[in-house]
């Protein structure tokens, strides 16, 4: 599985960005997909997850502002980010793993290279 993120950039607070993750590999439909982020000096945080059946979960810090979605025919994962805050500044990564592995507590094994999001006030 190969993951390539795009869509990061600089935006002012309260602005919006949409991140995209292009996924290659024919197991896409059986995978759980997630967006993580990591800011300098901070631990990596899982921001949002979408399961193979479409169920979504979000970190409390982004609920109501971020939306994760996927387009199965296009093998593409999205993260729509609205009402951005300075504390959303981080490198954002998409990740993939078989849902059975995720549900068994194993870490995500496939990662993109990351895309930088910078929010200024």
């Amino acid at each position: 599985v190969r993951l390539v993120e795009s869509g990061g950039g600089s935006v002012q607070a309260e602005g919006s960005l949409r991140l995209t993750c292009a996924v290659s590999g024919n197991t896409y439909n059986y995978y759980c997909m997630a967006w993580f982020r990591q800011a300098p000096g901070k631990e990596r945080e899982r921001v949002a997850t979408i399961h193979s059946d479409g169920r979504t979960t979000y970190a409390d810090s982004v609920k109501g502002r971020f939306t994760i979605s996927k387009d199965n025919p296009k093998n593409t994962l999205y993260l729509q980010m609205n009402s951005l805050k300075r504390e959303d500044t981080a490198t954002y990564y998409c990740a993939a793993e078989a849902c059975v592995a995720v549900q068994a507590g194993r870490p995500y094994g496939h990662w993109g290279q990351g895309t930088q999001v910078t929010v200024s006030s």
Side-chain angles (χ1 to χ4, degrees):
V1 177
R2 183 168 179 258
L3 309 173
V4 179
E5 302 99 334
S6 61
S10 297
V11 64
Q12 289 193 327
E14 297 303 316
S16 298
L17 280 174
R18 188 176 79 159
L19 304 184
T20 298
C21 177
V23 184
S24 60
N26 59 9
T27 55
Y28 175 74
N29 289 337
Y30 304 97
Y31 270 51
C32 283
M33 306 291 299
W35 288 97
F36 289 77
R37 67 185 180 187
Q38 189 165 23
K42 295 188 176 181
E43 292 188 356
R44 187 172 60 192
E45 174 189 23
R46 184 162 58 179
V47 173
T49 304
I50 186 164
H51 295 254
S52 55
D53 61 5
R55 288 177 294 122
T56 58
T57 58
Y58 296 92
D60 288 343
S61 57
V62 306
K63 277 182 184 176
R65 300 188 298 121
F66 289 12
T67 302
I68 187 171
S69 62
K70 61 179 181 175
D71 186 331
N72 286 343
K74 293 184 178 179
N75 279 9
T76 304
L77 177 73
Y78 302 100
L79 184 68
Q80 178 67 44
M81 305 185 294
N82 298 328
S83 302
L84 282 160
K85 304 176 181 180
R86 287 189 65 182
E87 51 264 42
D88 295 319
T89 295
T91 301
Y92 284 72
Y93 300 89
C94 68
E97 187 52 71
C99 283
V100 291
V102 173
Q103 290 161 2
R106 292 202 286 272
Y108 283 77
H110 307 281
W111 294 84
Q113 82 287 352
T115 186
Q116 178 67 35
V117 172
T118 302
V119 184
S120 58
S121 58

